[in-house]
Amino acid sequence: MADPMYTDFRLVAEPLLRIARDTAATLGPEWRVEAILSSALVVHSFGLRVCLNDGTDQVLLTAHVSVSTDKRKPLEDVTAMVETAGDPAITVQRTAAAIRTQILPHFGREDAVAGLRVLSIPLRDAGIPAVAQGGTLNTYIDYTPERLNVPVREYDQGERRPLGVIITSTGSDDTRVEIRIPHLPIRTAARITEGIRPGLGHPMRDIKSLPEEVRDDVAATFPGLTAKHVVSDVPRYTDLKDDSGVLTIRHALVVRHDGAKTNNRTFAAVWLRNATIAQAYAVLYAYANAS
């Protein structure tokens, strides 16, 4: 039974309450709305609580988050400000985006289990039957696990690719993540990594390392990364890396000759190493919502 303390909405202004309810619906099926005095709360079933205040010209988001394995340390206040718009739907989208990108990742900093709680949310919302195991130092998420260096295999159009995630507590109030997603269509790899790649104003470097057959297309699809030749074989592999070393996209090109006709097939693997919870969440959210 819900605590009456959190279900009395009489002091919450109607515009703020409407934003909170629509934001909870946008965030996913496991979010609900509660209230405390004049503040609205969006609450996940895991116990993650985000407070919303005002709701006229701005929405102030606040969360009190445990970020340390040292229980003697006080909770940290995490805040974000959202400008409201004339269109309520835009305000809701901004609020949900701010919660996902600026608030939620902090809930995963305490240890690997906390990281698992946060990073599993988009997978749960999408109904992906991933398996998780581990403890406070390391946790693992696997979906249709298989060796990631297997020979090329075919996937049906729209079939979700395998996923491997390792979440590690650093022991210094931080959690880091490794992600591997193999055999992706090139456009899907681009969509999944869009939130953590440099923008269009940064051209790809060392593009001559790319196979000539796909050079212009790959350079335009992944701006801001650096190309590095890996191996000339079947497939031909080229790594596309960001400056931080967190993101690697391994591009593969298979060239088949059928008489006078040449057929090219490309695919990509996405790897994250030593990623923050925020970077990992952005990739997993895009992965879970990729068509």
Side-chain angles (χ1 to χ4, degrees):
M1 183 176 179
D3 188 332
M5 174 180 176
Y6 296 111
T7 57
D8 185 350
F9 298 101
R10 289 175 296 176
L11 297 180
V12 182
E14 180 58 33
L16 179 62
L17 184 58
R18 188 163 52 248
I19 290 171
R21 285 172 170 160
D22 290 348
T23 297
T26 300
L27 287 171
E30 296 190 81
W31 292 86
R32 66 182 185 275
V33 177
E34 296 180 352
I36 183 166
L37 299 178
S38 62
S39 299
L41 304 170
V42 289
V43 183
H44 192 270
S45 59
F46 285 159
L48 314 180
R49 309 169 77 88
V50 183
C51 181
L52 284 70
N53 281 295
D54 197 355
T56 52
D57 295 329
Q58 296 176 324
V59 179
L60 174 64
L61 307 175
T62 307
H64 305 294
V65 183
S66 174
V67 299
S68 177
T69 55
D70 184 350
K71 303 305 180 185
R72 296 170 297 181
K73 289 189 176 182
L75 299 182
E76 183 174 299
D77 287 341
V78 178
T79 63
M81 187 72 73
V82 177
E83 296 288 338
T84 59
D87 184 347
I90 295 176
T91 299
V92 169
Q93 290 299 326
R94 288 176 179 173
T95 304
I99 290 173
R100 290 191 185 108
T101 60
Q102 300 179 56
I103 304 293
L104 270 186
H106 292 280
F107 283 105
R109 289 168 51 192
E110 181 178 356
D111 56 30
V113 172
L116 172 64
R117 280 196 293 269
V118 171
L119 296 181
S120 67
I121 289 174
L123 306 180
R124 290 164 60 94
D125 288 348
I128 299 172
V131 176
Q133 58 181 327
T136 56
L137 295 180
N138 294 281
T139 57
Y140 308 88
I141 302 174
D142 289 295
Y143 171 66
T144 57
E146 66 177 25
R147 289 190 305 114
L148 298 183
N149 60 343
V150 295
V152 178
R153 60 152 286 184
E154 298 295 331
Y155 286 85
D156 295 333
Q157 185 168 357
E159 181 182 357
R160 200 178 298 278
R161 287 359 183 211
L163 170 70
V165 182
I166 302 173
I167 308 164
T168 302
S169 175
T170 66
S172 57
D173 300 354
D174 196 14
T175 304
R176 293 288 163 160
V177 186
E178 178 178 331
I179 295 177
R180 293 193 173 196
I181 311 172
H183 308 305
L184 290 163
I186 300 300
R187 302 301 177 195
T188 303
R191 287 198 301 272
I192 285 175
T193 59
E194 183 177 7
I196 63 170
R197 285 190 286 108
L200 293 173
H202 304 273
M204 179 177 285
R205 294 182 292 275
D206 298 337
I207 63 172
K208 289 186 178 179
S209 298
L210 292 165
E212 189 173 356
E213 297 92 331
V214 296
R215 183 173 297 162
D216 291 343
D217 184 52
V218 173
T221 303
F222 299 103
L225 302 183
T226 300
K228 181 181 179 182
H229 174 72
V230 178
V231 63
S232 295
D233 204 338
V234 181
R236 279 186 273 172
Y237 289 111
T238 308
D239 281 351
L240 313 175
K241 294 177 173 287
D242 70 350
D243 290 341
S244 70
V246 169
L247 173 64
T248 298
I249 299 172
R250 175 156 287 185
H251 180 276
L253 170 66
V254 179
V255 179
R256 292 192 175 98
H257 299 283
D258 183 10
K261 188 177 180 180
T262 300
N263 295 313
N264 297 332
R265 178 175 177 266
T266 61
F267 57 94
V270 169
W271 299 342
L272 267 66
R273 297 180 177 88
N274 201 36
T276 64
I277 292 291
Q279 290 170 319
Y281 184 92
V283 168
L284 291 178
Y285 180 80
Y287 167 85
N289 289 278
S291 56

